[in-house]
Amino acid sequence: MAIINNIRLVIRERQQLFGGGRDRTSGLRESLRILLPIEWRRIVVRLMRQSGLSRLLVLMNEGLASRARQRLRANVADDDRAIVIRPELVLAEDLLARPTGLVRRARPAVICFSIIDWEFRFQRPQQLMRQFAAQGHRVFWIALSRYVRCGATPGFSLHPIEENLMELRLEAKADWEVHGRVLREDEVALALGSLEALCRAEGLDEAVGYVMIPAWAGVAREAQRRWGWQIAYDCMDEWENFPGIGPEVVAAERDLIGICDLLVVTAARLAEKWQDAGRPMVLARNATDYQFFADNCRPCPLPLRLPGSGGGEERRRVGYFGAIAEWFDIELMEMVATERPDCDFVLLGGVFDVEVERLRRFPNVVMPGQQPWERLPEWLFHFDVCLIPFRRNAITDATDPVKIYEYLSAGKPVVTTALPELMPYAELLYVAETPADFVNQLDRALHENDPVMAERRRELARNNTWSNRYATIAHGLASLRPQVSIIVITWQNLAMTRLCLESLLRNTALPCYQIIVVDNGSTDGTPDWLRSLAATNPHIKVILNDENLGFARANNQGISAATGEIIVLLNND
């Protein structure tokens, strides 16, 4: 009954505002209020009063009223993000007939200051950004080898990759060089100009700058100063003496860590290295997409004929996937292939700045090159044992290999050199201290027949997923912001309450907030709707009073229940 009365009142009010009443000038004012900024409205009304063109007032009012009604309907029906001060409650029945569902929450945008192009070897950067996108963040991945020409309008371009994830091409004169040096002053200015245009075009009020390599430090610092972005630096490797990383980049890392809001490290060694920097830090190791590997690790035709395949006794296959670079121990691999000629060694991955021609000539070694990440589970199924034949040095001592979690997703035995970051998992691995021990451990792994051990490995992988890592990073970012408690008092008028709360959830990009709704004994279905909303959204807390305790007392109830540092008292209208 209350809703019907509201509808009647609003219809009468609209008739008066849009020509049904005697006061045509007030109707004009209301139409202008919806359509024009306040400064323009004041000028128009003043000119009309001075001109005395009353007939023109009436004609303008009729036209403006029609356009205003269309605008209001579009705001309420077509664009849920729009906020209308006077929603048309004639739509209340349609609104209340909609299922409550889970409202899509707003999340801050993420600008990924990338270290590689998206289509390059699929690894930690892509996995993390995919997780941010899956959680509702709009993710903008800066392309390194593609850009827009200087002076182009609007100064950037967007190209969809996946849902909520776009490649962002900035204005530049050439490819972005982020490995050998830091960005020059003119490059920083171009990048900032493109990002400013992006903010205007996409309405980015709240954003996180996620930096993957210190070459972007100058842009990140200025974005933090200009727009208040949170800056997270993902320190994924020990960059000193890392192949291809220039001394400028290494020097810039300390500056970046000095200004970042959150330092994300992948290894305990990196946490120890930067513990005295005094920055908020989270340890977010590498991980696996467990479900993807579990679903796709199955028999399938391999894309090439392996040694020993086809006829005769099936040979044992020992596999590796990942980059074959300076940290890959070529000499160790040659020795193992020599000592075990009855095994086939399948080494998947691109070769970077190391000599492998002698290794290729071994009859029991196959090097198919870099494979699409999506095909790795198929290869993994056919491996009897997996390898991590890394050299020990400052780089690998601070390395938490992604491949270990992917190997364990299939429960496979893994033979590895004694990398410090893998020691927490040592009881599930075959750890070799010397080259000779590596061969011995390989023999042990090949003879393993322990389903319990295989399941323990899968369990470890299930507990180390990229979604877990996202949660760790997101919690770290959220902990940096003060919590906000928004208190809303309700009594009857369910349609208005629903518009208010759904709009709050849809538009609030703060990482840490709560909405406390105190209902003063409503009898129009509000309590049941509030319960259903709270059940599907962790941001909502509901206090239901049996009677109307009054506005002030209800606000005090909400304040008493609030846990935020900032309190907002918000009327639902």
Side-chain angles (χ1 to χ4, degrees):
M1 190 65 188
I3 292 176
I4 294 173
N5 289 335
N6 279 336
I7 293 172
R8 289 171 177 164
L9 287 171
V10 171
I11 290 173
R12 284 202 298 272
E13 182 183 45
R14 294 289 166 179
Q15 287 174 342
Q16 292 172 354
L17 289 174
F18 297 127
R22 291 188 296 272
D23 190 352
R24 303 289 180 88
T25 305
S26 65
L28 173 63
R29 266 195 224 102
E30 179 65 11
S31 301
L32 292 174
R33 183 188 68 76
I34 297 168
L35 294 170
L36 299 177
I38 187 168
E39 295 83 1
W40 294 10
R41 297 201 303 267
R42 287 172 177 165
I43 293 171
V44 171
V45 171
R46 185 167 61 249
L47 290 174
M48 288 301 156
R49 282 175 174 167
Q50 292 172 355
S51 68
L53 300 176
S54 58
R55 178 58 184 163
L56 182 58
L57 278 173
V58 173
L59 293 174
M60 284 184 64
N61 184 37
E62 291 173 354
L64 288 171
S66 174
R67 290 177 59 195
R69 283 192 293 271
Q70 293 173 3
R71 178 79 62 85
L72 283 166
R73 290 192 185 101
N75 282 343
V76 174
D78 297 334
D79 188 355
D80 286 339
R81 294 171 301 173
I83 298 175
V84 183
I85 291 182
R86 289 178 182 236
E88 283 196 279
L89 293 188
V90 291
L91 301 175
E93 291 179 358
D94 293 337
L95 172 70
L96 295 177
R98 286 197 334 233
T100 302
L102 182 62
V103 177
R104 183 77 170 183
R105 286 173 45 208
R107 304 274 193 177
V110 176
I111 315 299
C112 179
F113 294 94
S114 59
I115 186 172
I116 50 177
D117 281 325
W118 177 267
E119 68 277 5
F120 192 69
R121 188 171 61 251
F122 198 83
Q123 49 195 322
R124 177 186 178 89
Q126 293 97 325
Q127 293 280 16
L128 284 178
M129 291 303 104
R130 179 179 274 181
Q131 288 299 318
F132 273 96
Q135 294 298 322
H137 300 265
R138 284 189 294 165
V139 177
F140 301 88
W141 177 284
I142 296 178
L144 299 184
S145 63
R146 291 176 288 275
Y147 52 91
V148 299
R149 60 181 177 79
C150 294
T153 302
F156 70 92
S157 65
L158 295 176
H159 305 268
I161 299 173
E162 298 176 357
E163 184 180 1
N164 282 342
L165 206 161
M166 288 158 282
E167 179 185 81
L168 169 60
R169 300 180 188 177
L170 303 179
E171 189 175 357
K173 299 175 182 177
D175 292 359
W176 296 99
E177 171 51 61
V178 297
H179 301 99
R181 61 175 178 82
V182 299
L183 269 61
R184 298 187 304 266
E185 189 174 328
D186 62 317
E187 293 173 314
V188 170
L190 285 172
L192 289 168
S194 292
L195 292 173
E196 187 169 16
L198 174 73
C199 289
R200 288 196 304 268
E202 297 294 318
L204 304 186
D205 298 319
E206 185 88 13
V208 174
Y210 202 97
V211 184
M212 296 287 187
I213 191 165
W216 294 104
V219 182
R221 182 190 302 108
E222 190 62 18
Q224 183 188 57
R225 187 190 69 81
R226 288 189 189 184
W227 307 307
W229 289 4
Q230 283 186 297
I231 299 300
Y233 168 47
D234 195 308
C235 180
M236 65 184 77
D237 278 300
E238 171 57 79
W239 293 126
E240 291 186 35
N241 301 314
F242 197 96
I245 300 299
E248 284 186 29
V249 177
V250 175
E253 183 174 44
R254 188 166 292 278
D255 294 336
L256 177 59
I257 288 175
I259 64 101
C260 73
D261 297 289
L262 183 68
L263 174 59
V264 181
V265 294
T266 61
R269 287 291 179 98
L270 295 172
E272 292 171 11
K273 176 181 179 179
W274 298 113
Q275 64 184 352
D276 295 331
R279 306 310 301 165
M281 183 191 304
V282 296
L283 173 60
R285 295 181 180 275
N286 286 317
T288 180
D289 185 340
Y290 175 79
Q291 200 56 52
F292 176 79
F293 275 82
D295 291 344
N296 293 282
C297 188
R298 56 177 180 258
C300 60
L302 292 177
L304 54 77
R305 188 179 181 84
L306 295 174
S309 62
E313 184 179 351
E314 185 70 19
R315 293 162 60 86
R316 308 303 298 277
R317 293 194 181 115
V318 180
Y320 168 88
F321 50 70
I324 300 173
E326 185 177 292
W327 50 83
F328 187 98
D329 195 333
I330 302 291
E331 292 76 17
L332 172 62
M333 200 65 245
E334 289 176 352
M335 188 203 79
V336 174
T338 301
E339 292 289 326
R340 294 295 175 265
D342 56 332
C343 292
D344 294 328
F345 296 89
V346 183
L347 310 179
L348 307 176
V351 178
F352 301 92
D353 301 321
V354 291
E355 179 54 58
V356 296
E357 286 310 309
R358 194 168 69 175
L359 183 59
R360 288 184 190 276
R361 289 197 290 268
F362 278 78
N364 59 337
V365 173
V366 179
M367 301 180 67
Q370 187 164 305
Q371 301 295 306
W373 177 80
E374 292 78 9
R375 299 296 305 276
L376 292 184
E378 301 174 5
W379 288 92
L380 183 58
F381 177 86
H382 294 279
F383 294 165
D384 298 296
V385 174
C386 301
L387 300 181
I388 303 182
F390 284 2
R391 302 180 189 275
R392 286 287 306 277
N393 55 38
I395 294 172
T396 58
D397 280 359
T399 296
D400 180 50
V402 174
K403 62 183 62 60
I404 190 68
Y405 303 102
E406 295 175 339
Y407 290 163
L408 297 183
S409 295
K412 298 288 183 176
V414 180
V415 181
T416 178
T417 48
L419 303 179
E421 295 299 325
L422 297 185
M423 290 307 98
Y425 317 135
E427 63 175 329
L428 301 179
L429 310 175
Y430 293 91
V431 180
E433 297 289 345
T434 65
D437 191 27
F438 201 95
V439 177
N440 293 334
Q441 296 296 342
L442 174 58
D443 290 342
R444 291 181 59 210
L446 286 167
H447 287 90
E448 180 189 305
N449 183 20
D450 188 346
V452 174
M453 183 64 79
E455 180 53 34
R456 288 181 62 196
R457 294 186 184 114
R458 292 190 190 95
E459 181 62 22
L460 189 147
R462 279 193 290 269
N463 293 329
N464 288 271
T465 63
W466 291 113
S467 60
N468 296 146
R469 302 302 186 245
Y470 162 81
T472 298
I473 296 167
H475 182 267
L477 289 168
S479 67
L480 303 175
R481 299 285 200 189
Q483 187 180 42
V484 176
S485 296
I486 305 169
I487 298 166
V488 180
I489 310 305
T490 60
W491 180 74
Q492 311 294 49
N493 211 343
L494 175 56
M496 186 72 76
T497 297
R498 181 163 182 171
L499 283 171
C500 172
L501 297 182
E502 291 186 351
S503 178
L504 269 177
L505 293 169
R506 191 176 292 110
N507 293 286
T508 305
L510 291 172
C512 194
Y513 71 98
Q514 63 177 171
I515 302 171
I516 300 174
V517 186
V518 183
D519 183 72
N520 264 334
S522 296
T523 58
D524 64 345
T526 294
D528 289 339
W529 184 81
L530 290 174
R531 288 190 195 96
S532 65
L533 184 65
T536 58
N537 200 296
H539 284 280
I540 300 288
K541 176 178 178 146
V542 175
I543 299 173
L544 300 176
N545 294 326
D546 294 330
E547 58 182 325
N548 194 334
L549 301 181
F551 183 73
R553 189 171 173 184
N555 269 311
N556 285 334
Q557 282 182 286
I559 292 170
S560 297
T563 58
E565 297 177 42
I566 298 171
I567 305 292
V568 178
L569 304 181
L570 181 67
N571 290 353
N572 64 354
D573 60 355

